[in-house]
Amino acid sequence: MSKTYYNPDDLRKFGEITEWSEELGNKFFDYYGKVFEEGALSAREKSLIALAVSHVVKCPYCIDAYTKDGLQRGITKEEMMEAVHAGAAIESGATLVHGVQMMNKYDKLSM
């Protein structure tokens, strides 16, 4: 097995974060659980959103977890990849729109 910076086994230990801060850890998991309940969005839709966001925030643990969750919810590989592209497009646009700030600063400094 090749070594990685992120240990895949750590994902299974996520619940242990309550050991060092039980009150805050429990509040987080209560909140997390409520967010992913059925509501205006289905659990399937929320899983797909979570997968896209996982890629945008570059969380390998989340990518693993929501790829598995998506498969269990019947999300196809095509739907998953389309969601990843949607997230990438938003992230790219957010980066590029900051180019306006650079352009404004350049114009101001070069006067």
Side-chain angles (χ1 to χ4, degrees), residues 72-88:
Q72 291 170 341
R73 294 182 187 283
I75 297 172
T76 67
K77 64 183 179 184
E78 293 83 8
E79 290 171 310
M80 289 183 188
M81 187 56 75
E82 192 168 325
V84 170
H85 278 284

Side-chain angles (χ1 to χ4, degrees), residues 11-105:
L11 180 57
R12 287 190 290 272
K13 298 177 185 175
F14 186 33
E16 296 174 15
I17 64 165
T18 59
E19 291 177 9
W20 289 17
S21 181
E22 185 175 357
E23 180 184 0
L24 292 176
N26 287 335
K27 285 181 180 188
F28 166 77
F29 284 117
D30 289 345
Y31 167 74
Y32 193 88
K34 285 299 259 181
V35 166
F36 285 95
E37 288 178 359
E38 294 280 337
L41 296 173
S42 69
R44 184 183 190 281
E45 291 167 322
K46 290 177 181 185
S47 182
L48 197 53
I49 291 167
L51 181 63
V53 171
S54 298
H55 283 80
V56 172
V57 300
K58 298 165 183 63
C59 176
Y61 302 116
C62 304
I63 292 167
D64 285 358
Y66 284 99
T67 300
K68 180 179 177 181
D69 188 70
L71 279 168
Q72 291 170 341
R73 294 182 187 283
I75 297 172
T76 67
K77 64 183 179 184
E78 293 83 8
E79 290 171 310
M80 289 183 188
M81 187 56 75
E82 192 168 325
V84 170
H85 278 284
I90 295 299
E91 185 177 29
S92 298
T95 299
L96 290 172
V97 77
H98 280 84
V100 174
Q101 181 178 349
M102 177 268 306
M103 293 164 67
N104 292 339
K105 187 69 171 180

